[in-house]
Amino acid sequence: RVKEQGKNGYLFYTSEMNDRPLERITLENDMRIALTKEEFELFYQPQVDMNSQQIVGVEALVRWNHPERGLISPGDFIPLAEENGFIVALGTWVMEEACRQNMKWQNIGLPPIPVSVNLSVRQFEMKNLAETVRDVLIRTGLEPRYLDLEITESMTLDVSRASHILKKLKDMGVAISIDDFGTGYSSLHYLKNFPIHRLKIDRSFVRDLEHDPNDAAIVSAIIALGHNMNMQVIAEGVETEDQLLFLQKHRCDEIQGYYFSPPLSCQRFEELFRRHCKQEVTQM
Ligand code: C2E
Ligand code: MG
Ligand code: MG
Ligand code: MG
């Protein structure tokens, strides 16, 4: 069968398999051996500074190279992994791989930038998240300021516990971003209680920015809120120049989205990053 490659290299026919119990069981079993068989891979999407247009960060996004199913998107296995607890092992692997790769880029002379890693609520339930992060940083040699952890508001966190862990991480020098900001139930609660360094405006607000006055109002309000609280603001899912111009006008700090680049394999991201740095040098 010829399989259609999606924008992120996904194969589309995997999307409904969560509904089929037998498939689901197979997938759960496969998942557990996939780590040892090195079937997981990180893709990298650049985060670009609005003013300088430089790559100032990168988000690591996991994919699964399944031997029979091809490249599976995180939307198709992260929810399962969260249910069965596998996300804890996978999450640690993702963090270590992202930090190690980031260190490699620094070692070959690319400008140091933070790598963003998505955290699942299940990882907060581990007693030793802060220690795990510290160990990963020690093992990989990456300075804490080059790691950014993304948390989402859908996480039903015990606020006092979470703020304790997040404060530990902050004191270590690790940055904390709120991902998908505005889509959860406790956005402002998070801002009030957690040491947050950056807001990521969810792409559902960015998508119709040019046509929907509500979205435009929400986005400009999030930017103002972030800045009033001394946070950086990045917009996700930026696909068009009009969206970019709106965000620029409202002083959004950074953008991430297909407009600049989709998530890329490690090698392709490195090529893009190198090319980008060279351009900067020749422009000066
Ligand atoms: P996210 O953290 O909000 O990541 C952004 C998602 O938006 C990525 O989807 C990315 O490919 C997609 N995206 C980026 N730019 C655009 C754009 O311009 N337009 C559109 N339509 N989409 C864009 P992806 O890679 O499929 O990841 C989906 C979600 O899976 C992530 O959302 C994140 O919540 C989760 N995820 C991915 N990797 C990990 C991981 O290592 N651990 C955990 N816990 N979750 C992960
Ligand atoms: Mg994210
Ligand atoms: Mg997001
Ligand atoms: Mg997300």
Side-chain angles (χ1 to χ4, degrees), residues 37 190 244:
K37 286 167 62 191
Y190 269 41
L244 178 85

Side-chain angles (χ1 to χ4, degrees), residues 69-112:
R69 298 172 195 269
L71 210 57
I72 308 183
S73 88
D76 286 323
F77 65 89
I78 293 281
L80 258 180
E82 284 181 333
E83 271 175 51
N84 66 24
F86 175 70
I87 191 69
V88 173
L90 181 62
T92 303
W93 179 85
V94 167
M95 200 188 301
E96 180 146 356
E97 176 69 17
C99 290
R100 179 159 292 128
Q101 185 56 56
N102 198 18
M103 195 68 236
K104 270 190 204 158
W105 285 324
Q106 291 188 15
N107 286 339
I108 60 172
L110 287 161

Side-chain angles (χ1 to χ4, degrees), residues 150 179-180 200 202-203 236:
E150 297 193 357
D179 201 0
D180 309 334
K200 296 191 81 175
D202 189 67
R203 69 166 189 269
E236 297 191 290

Side-chain angles (χ1 to χ4, degrees), residues 47 59-61 116-119 150-152 179-180 200 236 256:
Q47 300 172 336
E59 180 171 5
L61 295 154
S116 300
V117 171
N118 293 283
L119 278 192
E150 297 193 357
I151 62 172
T152 60
D179 201 0
D180 309 334
K200 296 191 81 175
E236 297 191 290
Q256 181 178 342

Side-chain angles (χ1 to χ4, degrees), residues 179-183 200-206 222 236:
D179 201 0
D180 309 334
F181 186 77
T183 59
K200 296 191 81 175
I201 304 174
D202 189 67
R203 69 166 189 269
S204 62
F205 302 117
V206 174
I222 294 175
E236 297 191 290

